[in-house]
């Protein structure tokens, strides 16, 4: 089992980059998407997660690690995984190391998307997503071809409840305090490959493919 972690602040473009890596055989695991599915199904975890996510706070480590454990344990040993939004705390990173080791897998790369806060606020404020297929658009930088409708499903696009400026700023503060220390953690293991995520979507995707494609 081979794994790659996409690291970077909310809105740096992790999901957007993941789309092209799926075409290269990676299985995209976004803990944000897994949690939003629990919210949609109104499970006990989903009800608890919604309260935290709407405020820009993290869901408890144990709940997130347990979701990841279930995904990995039910997968073939030859699978290639791309993690987006996980791990997000030092505790999650340590648990992730233990889990990969127990499954005889490897963490091969940590792709770090670097992007300043003001660019992120602009990106997340204009983000639109398709609730059916998960496609991600931006009203200026990556607009759908027809009005405010998904190119794949044809349904109306939505704005995530946590994509308002107050919650975006809170998410950035939580990232700086709890997730940014992972950069040093993975640098010590010589795994970090930084990419300038202020470039165009095409350029960022190309830089990531150069490393992993
Ligand atoms: P999650 O869903 O993971 O959100 P996030 O990390 O905040 O990241 P985003 O999905 O918002 O951004 P992204 O980097 O994928 O950017 P995107 O490609 O969409 O998590 C949500 C919440 O769930 C968390 O706040 C937390 O509460 C909880 N959670 C999740 N995982 C957890 C964990 N492990 N532990 C605890 N809690 C957890 O791009 C953004 C926009 O910019 C789009 O509109 C896109 O079109 C545009 N764009 C992208 N790239 C470019 C570019 N190069 N140029 C111009 N525009 C671009």
């Amino acid at each position: 089992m081979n794994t790659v972690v996409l690291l970077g602040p909310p809105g740096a473009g992790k999901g957007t980059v993941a789309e092209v890596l799926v075409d290269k055989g990676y299985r995209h695991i976004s803990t944000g998407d897994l949690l939003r599915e629990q919210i949609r199904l109104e499970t006990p975890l989903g009800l608890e997660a919604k309260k935290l996510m709407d405020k820009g706070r993290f869901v408890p480590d144990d709940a997130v690690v347990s979701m990841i454990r279930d995904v990995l344990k039910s997968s073939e040993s030859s699978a290639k995984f791309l993690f987006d939004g996980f791990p997000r705390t030092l505790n999650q990173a340590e648990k992730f190391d233990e889990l990969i080791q127990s499954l005889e897998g490897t963490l091969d790369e940590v792709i770090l998307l670097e992007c300043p806060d003001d660019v992120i606020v602009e990106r997340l404020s204009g983000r639109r997503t398709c609730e059916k297929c998960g496609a991600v658009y931006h009203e200026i930088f990556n607009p759908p071809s027809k009005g405010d409708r998904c190119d794949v499903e044809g349904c109306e696009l939505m704005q995530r409840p946590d994509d308002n400026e107050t919650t975006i700023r809170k998410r950035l503060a939580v990232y700086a305090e709890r997730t940014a220390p992972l950069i040093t953690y993975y640098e010590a293991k010589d795994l970090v490959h930084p990419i300038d995520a202020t470039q165009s979507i095409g350029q960022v995707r190309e830089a990531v493919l150069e490393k992993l494609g």
Side-chain angles (χ1 to χ4, degrees), residues 148-203:
D148 212 16
R149 297 199 163 264
C150 177
D151 291 347
V152 183
E153 297 290 341
C155 55
E156 206 174 325
L157 297 173
M158 306 295 293
Q159 187 165 27
R160 270 173 43 178
D162 55 348
D163 278 351
N164 61 79
E165 184 160 354
T166 309
T167 312
I168 295 167
R169 298 265 178 212
K170 171 73 182 166
R171 286 157 65 197
L172 287 169
V174 173
Y175 172 83
E177 187 194 330
R178 302 193 60 195
T179 309
L182 294 187
I183 300 170
T184 315
Y185 178 82
Y186 285 126
E187 273 172 349
K189 296 173 186 277
D190 206 16
L191 286 172
V192 178
H193 181 78
I195 287 177
D196 173 8
T198 63
Q199 303 175 92
S200 70
I201 292 177
Q203 287 169 319

Side-chain angles (χ1 to χ4, degrees), residues 10-11 14-16 31 36 57 85 88 92 127 137 171 199:
K14 302 181 294 293
T16 302
T31 37
R36 280 183 287 277
R57 292 173 55 198
R88 232 170 167 112
Q92 288 181 20
R127 173 164 61 182
Y137 301 87
R171 286 157 65 197
Q199 303 175 92

Side-chain angles (χ1 to χ4, degrees), residues 27-42:
R27 190 164 159 208
H28 176 207
I29 308 290
S30 154
T31 37
D33 288 347
L34 292 175
L35 289 165
R36 280 183 287 277
E37 178 64 5
Q38 295 295 313
I39 293 174
R40 194 184 65 76
L41 296 171
E42 297 183 352

